[in-house]
């Protein structure tokens, strides 16, 4: 039987209960790739008929992680940002997302400014998932109709997160619904 959303959620719960750290999350990343290789799942939740916008597919009442479908109509280039004290896994469903991972070059003594340098750049293509651990900084760049499924450690709208202005180095607090 194809690997479906229910099985993915059951496995994610088991992984995080066994190890809420990087190893448990890595198991979720691998399982998200399995889920995205299920054509029926992709068609149902990320296909042409899927409702546009951001949809919460699941929120765990106990462990608080979320599974989100990002059904994008328009392309977007995000600023570098973190996911606060949470982690996030991005799994590509259709088209692609260009990912950039950033490192801080400054000594973090100024809470309002940062200097970033590129650590890694790569393209996520359908069926591939990338993981961004707590505090990691990344930016995303995707074309019209690119769609992805994201798993986050908690509801990111409820925690403090920051984004970085590359030109000025200014660190800004993110507000809810700034999405990715
Ligand atoms: Fe992100």
């Amino acid at each position: 039987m194809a690997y479906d959303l229910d099985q993915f959620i059951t496995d994610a719960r088991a992984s995080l209960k066994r190890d809420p750290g990087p190893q448990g999350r890595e198991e979720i990343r691998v399982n998200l790739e399995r889920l995205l290789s299920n054509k029926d799942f992709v068609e149902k939740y990320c296909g042409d008929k899927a409702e546009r916008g951001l949809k919460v597919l699941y929120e765990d009442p106990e462990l608080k992680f979320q599974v989100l479908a990002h059904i994008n109509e328009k392309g977007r280039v995000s600023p570098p940002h973190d996911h606060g004290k949470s982690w996030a896994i991005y799994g590509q469903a259709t088209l692609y997302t260009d990912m950039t991972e950033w490192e801080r070059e400054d000594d973090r003594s100024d809470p309002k400014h940062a200097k970033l340098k590129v650590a890694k750049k790569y393209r996520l293509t359908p069926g591939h998932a990338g993981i961004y651990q707590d505090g990691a900084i990344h930016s995303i760049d995707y074309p019209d109709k690119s769609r992805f499924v994201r798993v986050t450690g908690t509801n990111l709208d409820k925690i403090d997160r920051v984004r970085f202005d590359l030109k000025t180095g200014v660190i800004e607090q993110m507000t809810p619904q700034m999405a990715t």
Side-chain angles (χ1 to χ4, degrees):
M1 215 176 83
Y3 191 70
D4 65 11
L5 182 60
D6 285 349
Q7 191 59 53
F8 173 74
I9 289 164
T10 302
D11 288 346
R13 284 180 53 83
S15 292
L16 291 175
K17 285 200 169 191
R18 207 162 39 235
D19 183 352
Q23 183 52 44
R25 303 164 191 176
E26 173 61 15
E27 290 171 14
I28 296 175
R29 189 194 68 77
V30 170
N31 285 332
L32 182 57
E33 292 191 336
R34 264 178 92 191
L35 181 63
L36 289 165
S37 71
N38 175 347
K39 289 194 171 56
D40 293 337
F41 169 83
V42 172
E43 184 56 34
K44 181 171 176 187
Y45 294 100
C46 307
D48 284 339
K49 293 192 189 117
E51 197 186 329
R52 305 300 188 264
L54 173 57
K55 182 141 195 251
V56 180
L57 301 183
Y58 180 76
E59 177 171 323
D60 194 85
E62 181 191 3
L63 304 173
K64 306 296 178 201
F65 68 89
Q66 288 190 323
V67 183
L68 308 148
H70 290 262
I71 310 305
N72 306 304
E73 193 61 21
K74 287 275 160 225
R76 175 171 178 253
V77 181
S78 84
H81 60 271
D82 70 9
H83 308 98
K85 289 201 169 69
S86 180
W87 44 271
I89 299 168
Y90 285 65
Q92 197 67 29
T94 66
L95 297 175
Y96 63 86
T97 298
D98 285 327
M99 288 283 176
T100 306
E101 296 184 19
W102 300 86
E103 267 169 26
R104 296 257 315 241
E105 273 191 305
D106 60 295
D107 62 5
R108 296 174 190 248
S109 57
D110 180 350
K112 296 215 165 81
H113 291 86
K115 191 159 185 270
L116 299 184
K117 71 168 181 191
V118 172
K120 235 194 224 179
K121 268 183 146 167
Y122 49 93
R123 178 166 284 187
L124 279 186
T125 52
H128 289 110
I131 188 162
Y132 310 92
Q133 304 287 358
D134 346 14
I137 303 165
H138 81 150
S139 57
I140 62 177
D141 179 348
Y142 58 79
D144 291 354
K145 294 191 173 11
S146 166
R147 293 166 179 190
F148 51 86
V149 173
R150 213 165 45 127
V151 185
T152 58
T154 190
N155 179 347
L156 297 183
D157 285 347
K158 293 186 177 163
I159 62 172
D160 288 338
R161 305 170 59 194
V162 295
R163 65 180 190 176
F164 302 85
D165 185 314
L166 276 179
K167 281 197 190 115
T168 61
V170 169
I171 303 174
E172 291 175 288
Q173 287 297 318
M174 284 176 80
T175 54
Q177 296 308 321
M178 275 181 169
T180 49

